[in-house]
mmCIF file of all heavy atoms in Angstrom:
data_model
loop_
_atom_site.group_PDB
_atom_site.id
_atom_site.type_symbol
_atom_site.label_atom_id
_atom_site.label_comp_id
_atom_site.label_asym_id
_atom_site.label_seq_id
_atom_site.Cartn_x
_atom_site.Cartn_y
_atom_site.Cartn_z
ATOM 1 N N SER D 3 -98.937 -58.179 -8.379
ATOM 2 C CA SER D 3 -99.298 -57.639 -7.089
ATOM 3 C C SER D 3 -100.785 -57.617 -6.977
ATOM 4 O O SER D 3 -101.486 -57.543 -7.989
ATOM 5 C CB SER D 3 -98.734 -56.207 -6.911
ATOM 6 O OG SER D 3 -99.116 -55.347 -7.946
ATOM 7 N N ARG D 4 -101.297 -57.620 -5.742
ATOM 8 C CA ARG D 4 -102.738 -57.639 -5.504
ATOM 9 C C ARG D 4 -103.036 -57.007 -4.154
ATOM 10 O O ARG D 4 -102.225 -57.142 -3.216
ATOM 11 C CB ARG D 4 -103.259 -59.050 -5.558
ATOM 12 C CG ARG D 4 -104.753 -59.185 -5.634
ATOM 13 C CD ARG D 4 -105.227 -60.632 -5.831
ATOM 14 N NE ARG D 4 -106.645 -60.734 -5.912
ATOM 15 C CZ ARG D 4 -107.334 -61.892 -6.023
ATOM 16 N NH1 ARG D 4 -106.659 -63.034 -6.099
ATOM 17 N NH2 ARG D 4 -108.659 -61.946 -6.093
ATOM 18 N N SER D 5 -104.138 -56.322 -4.085
ATOM 19 C CA SER D 5 -104.516 -55.650 -2.794
ATOM 20 C C SER D 5 -104.946 -56.714 -1.808
ATOM 21 O O SER D 5 -105.332 -57.819 -2.115
ATOM 22 C CB SER D 5 -105.624 -54.654 -3.036
ATOM 23 O OG SER D 5 -106.784 -55.264 -3.579
ATOM 24 N N ARG D 6 -104.931 -56.316 -0.515
ATOM 25 C CA ARG D 6 -105.282 -57.259 0.534
ATOM 26 C C ARG D 6 -106.738 -57.738 0.422
ATOM 27 O O ARG D 6 -107.002 -58.879 0.724
ATOM 28 C CB ARG D 6 -105.080 -56.589 1.886
ATOM 29 C CG ARG D 6 -103.655 -56.441 2.363
ATOM 30 C CD ARG D 6 -103.602 -55.944 3.807
ATOM 31 N NE ARG D 6 -104.110 -54.598 3.936
ATOM 32 C CZ ARG D 6 -103.383 -53.467 3.784
ATOM 33 N NH1 ARG D 6 -102.100 -53.609 3.561
ATOM 34 N NH2 ARG D 6 -103.928 -52.288 3.960
ATOM 35 N N ASP D 7 -107.623 -56.832 -0.058
ATOM 36 C CA ASP D 7 -109.019 -57.290 -0.196
ATOM 37 C C ASP D 7 -109.305 -58.088 -1.493
ATOM 38 O O ASP D 7 -110.380 -58.597 -1.682
ATOM 39 C CB ASP D 7 -109.976 -56.098 -0.119
ATOM 40 C CG ASP D 7 -109.772 -55.087 -1.275
ATOM 41 O OD1 ASP D 7 -109.038 -55.408 -2.261
ATOM 42 O OD2 ASP D 7 -110.333 -53.976 -1.186
ATOM 43 N N GLY D 8 -108.273 -58.245 -2.347
ATOM 44 C CA GLY D 8 -108.334 -59.040 -3.548
ATOM 45 C C GLY D 8 -109.033 -58.352 -4.696
ATOM 46 O O GLY D 8 -109.068 -58.895 -5.814
ATOM 47 N N ASN D 9 -109.549 -57.128 -4.540
ATOM 48 C CA ASN D 9 -110.330 -56.451 -5.574
ATOM 49 C C ASN D 9 -109.520 -55.735 -6.633
ATOM 50 O O ASN D 9 -110.062 -55.307 -7.687
ATOM 51 C CB ASN D 9 -111.329 -55.457 -4.915
ATOM 52 C CG ASN D 9 -112.380 -56.192 -4.078
ATOM 53 O OD1 ASN D 9 -112.731 -57.289 -4.370
ATOM 54 N ND2 ASN D 9 -112.806 -55.514 -3.015
ATOM 55 N N THR D 10 -108.259 -55.478 -6.369
ATOM 56 C CA THR D 10 -107.378 -54.790 -7.295
ATOM 57 C C THR D 10 -106.128 -55.552 -7.498
ATOM 58 O O THR D 10 -105.501 -56.020 -6.526
ATOM 59 C CB THR D 10 -107.024 -53.359 -6.743
ATOM 60 O OG1 THR D 10 -108.292 -52.675 -6.408
ATOM 61 C CG2 THR D 10 -106.271 -52.575 -7.822
ATOM 62 N N MET D 11 -105.724 -55.696 -8.760
ATOM 63 C CA MET D 11 -104.469 -56.471 -9.011
ATOM 64 C C MET D 11 -103.807 -55.928 -10.292
ATOM 65 O O MET D 11 -104.456 -55.309 -11.170
ATOM 66 C CB MET D 11 -104.743 -57.954 -9.193
ATOM 67 C CG MET D 11 -105.591 -58.340 -10.343
ATOM 68 S SD MET D 11 -105.991 -60.112 -10.429
ATOM 69 C CE MET D 11 -107.455 -60.100 -9.330
ATOM 70 N N ILE D 12 -102.539 -56.148 -10.382
ATOM 71 C CA ILE D 12 -101.744 -55.874 -11.581
ATOM 72 C C ILE D 12 -101.377 -57.256 -12.178
ATOM 73 O O ILE D 12 -100.824 -58.162 -11.501
ATOM 74 C CB ILE D 12 -100.485 -55.084 -11.311
ATOM 75 C CG1 ILE D 12 -100.857 -53.728 -10.717
ATOM 76 C CG2 ILE D 12 -99.680 -54.892 -12.574
ATOM 77 C CD1 ILE D 12 -101.708 -52.863 -11.608
ATOM 78 N N VAL D 13 -101.690 -57.371 -13.500
ATOM 79 C CA VAL D 13 -101.454 -58.673 -14.221
ATOM 80 C C VAL D 13 -100.412 -58.356 -15.329
ATOM 81 O O VAL D 13 -100.546 -57.363 -16.029
ATOM 82 C CB VAL D 13 -102.720 -59.186 -14.812
ATOM 83 C CG1 VAL D 13 -102.460 -60.538 -15.538
ATOM 84 C CG2 VAL D 13 -103.761 -59.383 -13.719
ATOM 85 N N GLU D 14 -99.415 -59.208 -15.423
ATOM 86 C CA GLU D 14 -98.407 -59.110 -16.478
ATOM 87 C C GLU D 14 -98.566 -60.302 -17.424
ATOM 88 O O GLU D 14 -98.724 -61.447 -17.014
ATOM 89 C CB GLU D 14 -96.997 -59.086 -15.913
ATOM 90 C CG GLU D 14 -95.962 -58.974 -17.000
ATOM 91 C CD GLU D 14 -94.513 -59.157 -16.472
ATOM 92 O OE1 GLU D 14 -94.360 -59.710 -15.400
ATOM 93 O OE2 GLU D 14 -93.557 -58.784 -17.156
ATOM 94 N N ASN D 15 -98.501 -60.035 -18.728
ATOM 95 C CA ASN D 15 -98.441 -61.081 -19.704
ATOM 96 C C ASN D 15 -97.190 -60.960 -20.523
ATOM 97 O O ASN D 15 -96.737 -59.830 -20.848
ATOM 98 C CB ASN D 15 -99.628 -60.965 -20.705
ATOM 99 C CG ASN D 15 -99.584 -62.004 -21.837
ATOM 100 O OD1 ASN D 15 -99.538 -63.207 -21.487
ATOM 101 N ND2 ASN D 15 -99.552 -61.590 -23.084
ATOM 102 N N VAL D 16 -96.542 -62.046 -20.810
ATOM 103 C CA VAL D 16 -95.382 -62.069 -21.617
ATOM 104 C C VAL D 16 -95.418 -63.329 -22.498
ATOM 105 O O VAL D 16 -95.750 -64.410 -22.050
ATOM 106 C CB VAL D 16 -94.056 -61.966 -20.809
ATOM 107 C CG1 VAL D 16 -93.919 -63.206 -19.852
ATOM 108 C CG2 VAL D 16 -92.848 -61.884 -21.687
ATOM 109 N N GLY D 17 -94.975 -63.144 -23.759
ATOM 110 C CA GLY D 17 -94.982 -64.289 -24.660
ATOM 111 C C GLY D 17 -94.422 -63.897 -26.009
ATOM 112 O O GLY D 17 -93.975 -62.743 -26.225
ATOM 113 N N PRO D 18 -94.363 -64.797 -26.968
ATOM 114 C CA PRO D 18 -93.763 -64.513 -28.264
ATOM 115 C C PRO D 18 -94.334 -63.316 -28.989
ATOM 116 O O PRO D 18 -93.590 -62.612 -29.685
ATOM 117 C CB PRO D 18 -94.025 -65.820 -29.075
ATOM 118 C CG PRO D 18 -94.164 -66.862 -28.043
ATOM 119 C CD PRO D 18 -94.834 -66.203 -26.869
ATOM 120 N N ARG D 19 -95.614 -63.031 -28.784
ATOM 121 C CA ARG D 19 -96.200 -61.880 -29.464
ATOM 122 C C ARG D 19 -96.513 -60.705 -28.486
ATOM 123 O O ARG D 19 -97.229 -59.763 -28.834
ATOM 124 C CB ARG D 19 -97.476 -62.275 -30.240
ATOM 125 C CG ARG D 19 -97.134 -63.173 -31.406
ATOM 126 C CD ARG D 19 -98.348 -63.559 -32.194
ATOM 127 N NE ARG D 19 -98.024 -64.447 -33.274
ATOM 128 C CZ ARG D 19 -97.803 -64.000 -34.536
ATOM 129 N NH1 ARG D 19 -97.802 -62.723 -34.835
ATOM 130 N NH2 ARG D 19 -97.515 -64.887 -35.495
ATOM 131 N N ASP D 20 -95.971 -60.763 -27.287
ATOM 132 C CA ASP D 20 -96.173 -59.717 -26.308
ATOM 133 C C ASP D 20 -94.877 -59.673 -25.414
ATOM 134 O O ASP D 20 -94.591 -60.526 -24.615
ATOM 135 C CB ASP D 20 -97.385 -60.031 -25.405
ATOM 136 C CG ASP D 20 -97.640 -58.900 -24.414
ATOM 137 O OD1 ASP D 20 -96.824 -57.982 -24.294
ATOM 138 O OD2 ASP D 20 -98.723 -58.965 -23.774
ATOM 139 N N PRO D 21 -94.027 -58.637 -25.654
ATOM 140 C CA PRO D 21 -92.781 -58.565 -24.913
ATOM 141 C C PRO D 21 -92.969 -58.292 -23.409
ATOM 142 O O PRO D 21 -92.048 -58.448 -22.628
ATOM 143 C CB PRO D 21 -92.048 -57.377 -25.548
ATOM 144 C CG PRO D 21 -93.120 -56.541 -26.177
ATOM 145 C CD PRO D 21 -94.190 -57.525 -26.601
ATOM 146 N N GLY D 22 -94.189 -57.991 -23.062
ATOM 147 C CA GLY D 22 -94.522 -57.723 -21.653
ATOM 148 C C GLY D 22 -95.563 -56.617 -21.575
ATOM 149 O O GLY D 22 -95.269 -55.438 -21.899
ATOM 150 N N SER D 23 -96.771 -56.963 -21.169
ATOM 151 C CA SER D 23 -97.838 -55.932 -21.031
ATOM 152 C C SER D 23 -98.369 -56.000 -19.595
ATOM 153 O O SER D 23 -98.372 -57.047 -18.937
ATOM 154 C CB SER D 23 -98.955 -56.146 -22.027
ATOM 155 O OG SER D 23 -99.518 -57.448 -21.897
ATOM 156 N N TYR D 24 -98.826 -54.803 -19.129
ATOM 157 C CA TYR D 24 -99.328 -54.687 -17.759
ATOM 158 C C TYR D 24 -100.748 -54.263 -17.767
ATOM 159 O O TYR D 24 -101.152 -53.324 -18.507
ATOM 160 C CB TYR D 24 -98.513 -53.679 -16.959
ATOM 161 C CG TYR D 24 -97.064 -54.107 -16.793
ATOM 162 C CD1 TYR D 24 -96.094 -53.753 -17.691
ATOM 163 C CD2 TYR D 24 -96.653 -54.901 -15.660
ATOM 164 C CE1 TYR D 24 -94.749 -54.127 -17.572
ATOM 165 C CE2 TYR D 24 -95.339 -55.300 -15.538
ATOM 166 C CZ TYR D 24 -94.414 -54.923 -16.459
ATOM 167 O OH TYR D 24 -93.089 -55.320 -16.317
ATOM 168 N N TRP D 25 -101.565 -54.965 -16.936
ATOM 169 C CA TRP D 25 -103.018 -54.755 -16.953
ATOM 170 C C TRP D 25 -103.477 -54.502 -15.525
ATOM 171 O O TRP D 25 -103.110 -55.185 -14.587
ATOM 172 C CB TRP D 25 -103.711 -55.987 -17.479
ATOM 173 C CG TRP D 25 -103.313 -56.317 -18.926
ATOM 174 C CD1 TRP D 25 -102.131 -56.893 -19.336
ATOM 175 C CD2 TRP D 25 -104.067 -56.017 -20.085
ATOM 176 N NE1 TRP D 25 -102.136 -57.005 -20.673
ATOM 177 C CE2 TRP D 25 -103.287 -56.495 -21.178
ATOM 178 C CE3 TRP D 25 -105.317 -55.455 -20.323
ATOM 179 C CZ2 TRP D 25 -103.714 -56.371 -22.520
ATOM 180 C CZ3 TRP D 25 -105.712 -55.327 -21.627
ATOM 181 C CH2 TRP D 25 -104.991 -55.799 -22.692
ATOM 182 N N LEU D 26 -104.364 -53.498 -15.391
ATOM 183 C CA LEU D 26 -105.013 -53.235 -14.098
ATOM 184 C C LEU D 26 -106.382 -53.866 -14.087
ATOM 185 O O LEU D 26 -107.181 -53.694 -14.966
ATOM 186 C CB LEU D 26 -105.176 -51.740 -13.913
ATOM 187 C CG LEU D 26 -106.036 -51.322 -12.700
ATOM 188 C CD1 LEU D 26 -105.372 -51.749 -11.373
ATOM 189 C CD2 LEU D 26 -106.333 -49.824 -12.727
ATOM 190 N N VAL D 27 -106.629 -54.721 -13.075
ATOM 191 C CA VAL D 27 -107.951 -55.317 -12.836
ATOM 192 C C VAL D 27 -108.436 -54.734 -11.501
ATOM 193 O O VAL D 27 -107.812 -54.897 -10.475
ATOM 194 C CB VAL D 27 -107.917 -56.846 -12.774
ATOM 195 C CG1 VAL D 27 -109.269 -57.428 -12.445
ATOM 196 C CG2 VAL D 27 -107.347 -57.421 -14.065
ATOM 197 N N LYS D 28 -109.574 -54.022 -11.624
ATOM 198 C CA LYS D 28 -110.085 -53.350 -10.415
ATOM 199 C C LYS D 28 -111.626 -53.472 -10.431
ATOM 200 O O LYS D 28 -112.299 -53.024 -11.367
ATOM 201 C CB LYS D 28 -109.661 -51.886 -10.366
ATOM 202 C CG LYS D 28 -110.216 -51.105 -9.163
ATOM 203 C CD LYS D 28 -109.661 -49.685 -9.152
ATOM 204 C CE LYS D 28 -110.318 -48.822 -8.110
ATOM 205 N NZ LYS D 28 -110.117 -49.371 -6.755
ATOM 206 N N ASP D 29 -112.182 -54.062 -9.366
ATOM 207 C CA ASP D 29 -113.618 -54.183 -9.255
ATOM 208 C C ASP D 29 -114.271 -54.708 -10.449
ATOM 209 O O ASP D 29 -115.314 -54.213 -10.922
ATOM 210 C CB ASP D 29 -114.235 -52.832 -8.930
ATOM 211 C CG ASP D 29 -113.639 -52.241 -7.596
ATOM 212 O OD1 ASP D 29 -113.329 -53.037 -6.658
ATOM 213 O OD2 ASP D 29 -113.505 -50.999 -7.527
ATOM 214 N N GLY D 30 -113.694 -55.800 -11.053
ATOM 215 C CA GLY D 30 -114.296 -56.446 -12.203
ATOM 216 C C GLY D 30 -114.012 -55.811 -13.547
ATOM 217 O O GLY D 30 -114.527 -56.345 -14.571
ATOM 218 N N GLN D 31 -113.282 -54.726 -13.587
ATOM 219 C CA GLN D 31 -112.928 -54.075 -14.838
ATOM 220 C C GLN D 31 -111.456 -54.244 -15.102
ATOM 221 O O GLN D 31 -110.620 -54.276 -14.182
ATOM 222 C CB GLN D 31 -113.305 -52.597 -14.819
ATOM 223 C CG GLN D 31 -114.812 -52.343 -14.694
ATOM 224 C CD GLN D 31 -115.140 -50.874 -14.782
ATOM 225 O OE1 GLN D 31 -114.408 -50.016 -14.369
ATOM 226 N NE2 GLN D 31 -116.305 -50.564 -15.322
ATOM 227 N N MET D 32 -111.078 -54.298 -16.381
ATOM 228 C CA MET D 32 -109.667 -54.511 -16.774
ATOM 229 C C MET D 32 -109.224 -53.499 -17.813
ATOM 230 O O MET D 32 -110.014 -53.220 -18.774
ATOM 231 C CB MET D 32 -109.523 -55.947 -17.304
ATOM 232 C CG MET D 32 -108.071 -56.299 -17.697
ATOM 233 S SD MET D 32 -107.850 -58.067 -18.016
ATOM 234 C CE MET D 32 -108.778 -58.199 -19.530
ATOM 235 N N ALA D 33 -108.027 -52.997 -17.669
ATOM 236 C CA ALA D 33 -107.515 -51.999 -18.645
ATOM 237 C C ALA D 33 -106.020 -52.167 -18.786
ATOM 238 O O ALA D 33 -105.329 -52.482 -17.813
ATOM 239 C CB ALA D 33 -107.835 -50.606 -18.190
ATOM 240 N N LYS D 34 -105.575 -51.967 -19.966
ATOM 241 C CA LYS D 34 -104.105 -52.074 -20.248
ATOM 242 C C LYS D 34 -103.452 -50.771 -19.778
ATOM 243 O O LYS D 34 -103.870 -49.681 -20.135
ATOM 244 C CB LYS D 34 -103.798 -52.326 -21.739
ATOM 245 C CG LYS D 34 -102.348 -52.559 -22.043
ATOM 246 C CD LYS D 34 -102.140 -52.928 -23.500
ATOM 247 C CE LYS D 34 -100.683 -53.206 -23.831
ATOM 248 N NZ LYS D 34 -100.492 -53.514 -25.272
ATOM 249 N N LEU D 35 -102.372 -50.953 -19.044
ATOM 250 C CA LEU D 35 -101.626 -49.746 -18.522
ATOM 251 C C LEU D 35 -100.377 -49.396 -19.360
ATOM 252 O O LEU D 35 -100.011 -48.239 -19.429
ATOM 253 C CB LEU D 35 -101.170 -50.061 -17.061
ATOM 254 C CG LEU D 35 -102.250 -50.218 -16.056
ATOM 255 C CD1 LEU D 35 -101.658 -50.643 -14.729
ATOM 256 C CD2 LEU D 35 -103.056 -48.925 -15.887
ATOM 257 N N GLY D 36 -99.755 -50.415 -19.967
ATOM 258 C CA GLY D 36 -98.537 -50.114 -20.736
ATOM 259 C C GLY D 36 -97.829 -51.366 -21.153
ATOM 260 O O GLY D 36 -98.317 -52.491 -20.845
ATOM 261 N N SER D 37 -96.706 -51.198 -21.820
ATOM 262 C CA SER D 37 -95.974 -52.333 -22.404
ATOM 263 C C SER D 37 -94.522 -52.093 -22.248
ATOM 264 O O SER D 37 -94.021 -50.966 -22.206
ATOM 265 C CB SER D 37 -96.348 -52.473 -23.853
ATOM 266 O OG SER D 37 -95.546 -53.458 -24.523
ATOM 267 N N THR D 38 -93.795 -53.225 -22.198
ATOM 268 C CA THR D 38 -92.339 -53.182 -22.182
ATOM 269 C C THR D 38 -91.823 -52.540 -23.487
ATOM 270 O O THR D 38 -90.807 -51.762 -23.432
ATOM 271 C CB THR D 38 -91.777 -54.643 -22.095
ATOM 272 O OG1 THR D 38 -92.182 -55.161 -20.845
ATOM 273 C CG2 THR D 38 -90.240 -54.622 -22.121
ATOM 274 N N ASN D 39 -92.411 -52.819 -24.605
ATOM 275 C CA ASN D 39 -92.097 -52.128 -25.850
ATOM 276 C C ASN D 39 -93.360 -51.926 -26.662
ATOM 277 O O ASN D 39 -93.816 -52.731 -27.416
ATOM 278 C CB ASN D 39 -91.134 -52.996 -26.673
ATOM 279 C CG ASN D 39 -90.535 -52.195 -27.815
ATOM 280 O OD1 ASN D 39 -91.149 -51.250 -28.366
ATOM 281 N ND2 ASN D 39 -89.299 -52.553 -28.203
ATOM 282 N N PRO D 40 -93.990 -50.723 -26.461
ATOM 283 C CA PRO D 40 -95.323 -50.446 -27.085
ATOM 284 C C PRO D 40 -95.208 -50.270 -28.598
ATOM 285 O O PRO D 40 -96.261 -50.169 -29.279
ATOM 286 C CB PRO D 40 -95.760 -49.165 -26.414
ATOM 287 C CG PRO D 40 -94.497 -48.492 -25.962
ATOM 288 C CD PRO D 40 -93.608 -49.624 -25.601
#
């Protein structure tokens, strides 16, 4: 998902060494929010 102005988005990664992680990107900064299995 991403905001209309493009400045905020949620990014998901999934792969063999990541069951699913969620990242917030906002105004050029990025932080991990959580995981499918932390």
Side-chain angles (χ1 to χ4, degrees):
S3 57
R4 192 174 181 183
S5 60
R6 285 187 296 269
D7 63 11
N9 294 329
T10 306
M11 67 185 82
I12 299 298
V13 181
E14 180 189 17
N15 178 57
V16 61
R19 293 182 181 267
D20 184 351
S23 59
Y24 295 91
W25 300 77
L26 171 65
V27 177
K28 180 175 170 61
D29 300 327
Q31 296 184 329
M32 182 169 68
K34 186 176 181 179
L35 296 174
S37 173
T38 298
N39 192 331

